[in-house]
Amino acid sequence: MPPTSRLQLSLSARDLKNLSGFMNKSDPFAVVTVRGDNPDNVPIVAGETEVVYNNLSPSWASVVIIDGYKFGVPFYIETGVFDFDAQKVGQKERDLAKKSSVAMANITGTEEQRDLYKTGRLPHKVMGTALFEVGELMAARGNVMSKSLQTGGAIYVHLEKSRDDQMGSMTLQFEGVNLSNTQRKIGKASPFFEMYRKVDLPTGAVWNSIYRSNVMRSNLNPKWDEVSLSLEAACNGDLDRAIKVVVWDHRRSGKHKNMGEFETNMERIHDAANTSGVNFFTLRRHDRDVGNITVLKADLIRPVDKEQPIEEKSSANAMPSAPSGIPVSICVPERPEFLDYLSGGCQISLAVAIDFTASNGDPRIPGTPHYFHPKSSKEFNDYEKAIFAVGQVLAQFDSDQRYPVWGFGAKWGNHVRHCFQCGKQVEVHGVKGIIDCYRGVFKTPLTMSYPTVFTEVIRTASMYARHQMEQARAEGQLSYTILLILTAGNDEDIQETKRALIEASSSPLSVVIVGIGDADFSAMESLDEHDPQKEGGRDITKFVEFNEYNSYNALTAAVLDEIPDQLVDFYYEKGILPPKAFKMNNDEVEVQPADDDERTVNFLG
């Protein structure tokens, strides 16, 4: 997996408050800024949408590209919605509304415009802002989240992994031929067309707008402007992805009338202009032919190192389905990426194993790893910090938020336990449940003992991971487990632990070991140096020292750095592809409360 991921952001809104007065209707556009690993960082404008005129529930065609997300590190983005005021910038709304969706100027991105915003002099009224964390968006069902805006209405944000930032583009030009007139009175329709890409939902298909053409005034044989469409934005590089073209009769009120539509894909559009076959598509409305759309031009422009002919797709790579509903590949043409599995709803489970050996020292003495600070100090020991940091990140990807917590190295009666259940429940709820369970162990009659042995918790975690996987497959989904071992000492038998890790590598499991305290952990580093070529199995282990990291973000980035490749390796080697990404209809998305009004003031820094 690359160090960071490239994502596509699609935006829509619903029931926005009208800020343009009784006789008019707002013309909303959206701006996306990146805040990075802290919501209060200086914002960087990532992109903005086109203006949708006279519409309080817009679905913007523009796709905003976000770079920089890395699994395990918080990554904040913020969306702002504005009411465009054409008059105050010396333009006429009637003229602007006829332009294509790619013809908008940079409305908020310049330093001058930001200064105007900060001083309250930006001509466009702010309709509200909303802060999102990309990890939460990736973990949300359908990769969709929504939040109320401060003035009313709600913004909807949908993320999709971008396949490649060097896909190229397609230069298009359409011409309408003998379009049916939708004007009831004297006059002719003023057509424009809109292109949509298909997104499959459990409840049916949704069409996301990707381009809106210029308006041809009073013309039933319109020749629209040529446009260059990024394949990344239009179809995410999949030329077979379903595309719908709808021709509208432009109405100033924003209630445009459907003049007809057809479904196709970018490959067939390309073929229409570049082969000797039919070069047009028939528009249909109410089961009647209502004109044709001729493809005058469809030039595919690829980067030099990506150039390849468009070939007819073979069915040889079709993926058969296992009885559980998970697609299984006989011949996988392309290695999936980690975000493909996340988008497909792969659950990431967390299991925690805590060291209760005597190497931790007396927990009643300040400065020892297990020492609990008084509540009034609001301080936490390093075990608690590590649980909180890693647990908060992984909790986003676990729908039931239930985790097993095990201990090792404690003596109960006269018997040393190398794996025992912490607390009364097999699984606890939430990160707070893990910490409460950990603290509760010291209220039991355990005795901290020796030696430090990992093998039993590794084998227990392996069985747990298989059980989670079986449950997920019964529902047609996938599951992967991360075992977090927190220890203050070196493993007593490194070779036996290596054998246990090699055995466990056949399970959907990764093992992360965090060294707590000031011990010499040099012997542990050999666990992180597994060579599958010589020793067999997968590389599933990562070791880090807690004291080497001065922030939660740095710790989680190091701890989870190898998880994406380990997860993909496990499924790819078994020929198991990601489940088909399921999406959410806006009606099914829970709308979160609006952010504080102060965030609108500081939206552009």
Side-chain angles (χ1 to χ4, degrees), residues 71-369:
F71 177 68
V73 181
F75 192 80
Y76 292 92
I77 59 173
E78 196 161 19
T79 59
V81 180
F82 297 83
D83 181 8
F84 183 76
D85 192 323
Q87 186 175 2
K88 287 187 178 180
V89 294
Q91 301 278 356
K92 291 183 179 180
E93 179 181 317
R94 185 173 182 177
D95 294 335
L96 291 174
K98 297 176 186 177
K99 294 185 177 180
S100 72
S101 60
V102 297
M104 288 303 305
N106 186 4
I107 302 173
T108 61
T110 68
E111 192 64 35
E112 178 184 1
Q113 290 157 343
R114 293 187 202 184
D115 289 340
L116 290 174
Y117 182 87
K118 294 175 187 177
T119 57
R121 294 180 291 128
L122 189 74
H124 317 296
K125 297 177 183 177
V126 60
M127 305 179 81
T129 63
L131 183 74
F132 297 94
E133 201 280 305
V134 171
E136 291 184 19
L137 268 165
M138 291 305 305
R141 190 166 187 265
N143 306 139
V144 180
M145 291 181 69
S146 177
K147 187 174 283 189
S148 296
L149 297 176
Q150 290 84 352
T151 63
I155 181 84
Y156 291 81
V157 178
H158 171 242
L159 276 183
E160 180 176 340
K161 184 181 74 70
S162 184
R163 301 290 166 185
D164 194 340
D165 62 347
Q166 297 294 325
M167 297 174 190
S169 61
M170 187 177 286
T171 302
L172 296 172
Q173 188 171 28
F174 287 170
E175 181 178 38
V177 178
N178 297 327
L179 304 183
S180 293
N181 194 11
T182 53
Q183 292 286 348
R184 294 182 179 179
K185 300 180 180 179
I186 299 175
K188 295 180 181 179
S190 299
F192 69 97
F193 72 87
E194 195 161 11
M195 296 181 71
Y196 304 81
R197 69 180 186 183
K198 189 178 183 180
V199 177
D200 291 316
L201 306 177
T203 54
V206 167
W207 297 92
N208 287 345
S209 177
I210 55 174
Y211 172 71
R212 191 176 296 115
S213 78
N214 59 303
V215 178
M216 297 297 293
R217 188 74 180 168
S218 302
N219 193 333
L220 298 181
N221 292 280
K223 184 178 180 180
W224 290 286
D225 292 346
E226 185 178 299
V227 61
S228 178
L229 291 180
S230 160
L231 293 179
E232 182 179 22
C235 59
N236 208 359
D238 180 4
L239 297 181
D240 285 329
R241 185 170 188 165
I243 297 290
K244 181 165 70 172
V245 177
V246 181
V247 178
W248 302 94
D249 180 9
H250 181 267
R251 304 293 169 87
R252 190 176 180 184
S253 65
K255 297 179 180 179
H256 313 303
K257 189 164 185 178
N258 188 312
M259 297 180 68
E261 60 189 64
F262 63 90
E263 291 185 28
T264 183
N265 58 41
M266 298 301 282
E267 184 168 354
R268 290 203 291 269
I269 291 174
H270 175 272
D271 289 346
N274 295 280
T275 64
S276 58
V278 177
N279 69 340
F280 65 88
F281 296 92
T282 301
L283 285 175
R284 300 275 295 174
R285 181 166 59 90
H286 303 318
D287 296 324
R288 292 192 305 112
D289 293 351
V290 288
N292 295 324
I293 298 295
T294 300
V295 184
L296 299 178
K297 187 175 187 179
D299 294 342
L300 184 63
I301 302 172
R302 296 275 198 182
V304 174
D305 61 343
K306 298 278 183 179
E307 287 185 356
Q308 56 184 0
I310 297 181
E311 300 174 353
E312 184 176 350
K313 304 297 184 296
S314 170
S315 60
N317 289 333
M319 304 300 172
S321 294
S324 63
I326 297 174
V328 178
S329 167
I330 294 175
C331 176
V332 181
E334 182 180 356
R335 175 186 168 93
E337 294 185 17
F338 176 63
L339 293 185
D340 295 320
Y341 288 97
L342 288 187
S343 296
C346 180
Q347 295 289 302
I348 298 182
S349 301
L350 172 66
V352 181
I354 301 171
D355 181 354
F356 290 100
T357 65
S359 59
N360 286 277
D362 190 337
R364 295 168 295 184
I365 299 176
T368 57

Side-chain angles (χ1 to χ4, degrees), residues 341-414:
Y341 288 97
L342 288 187
S343 296
C346 180
Q347 295 289 302
I348 298 182
S349 301
L350 172 66
V352 181
I354 301 171
D355 181 354
F356 290 100
T357 65
S359 59
N360 286 277
D362 190 337
R364 295 168 295 184
I365 299 176
T368 57
H370 281 310
Y371 175 74
F372 296 125
H373 297 270
K375 288 185 178 180
S376 59
S377 70
K378 296 184 179 180
E379 293 185 50
F380 302 93
N381 67 36
D382 289 351
Y383 278 97
E384 292 172 304
K385 291 176 182 177
I387 290 170
F388 180 81
V390 178
Q392 285 292 97
V393 171
L394 296 182
Q396 300 170 349
F397 302 96
D398 191 338
S399 59
D400 68 4
Q401 302 278 296
R402 302 199 67 83
Y403 316 108
V405 183
W406 304 306
F408 59 92
K411 183 182 290 185
W412 295 74
N414 292 317

Side-chain angles (χ1 to χ4, degrees), residues 577-589:
L577 298 180
K580 190 172 184 179
F582 52 83
K583 308 288 182 179
M584 293 285 283
N585 195 313
N586 283 357
D587 292 331
E588 302 174 282
V589 180

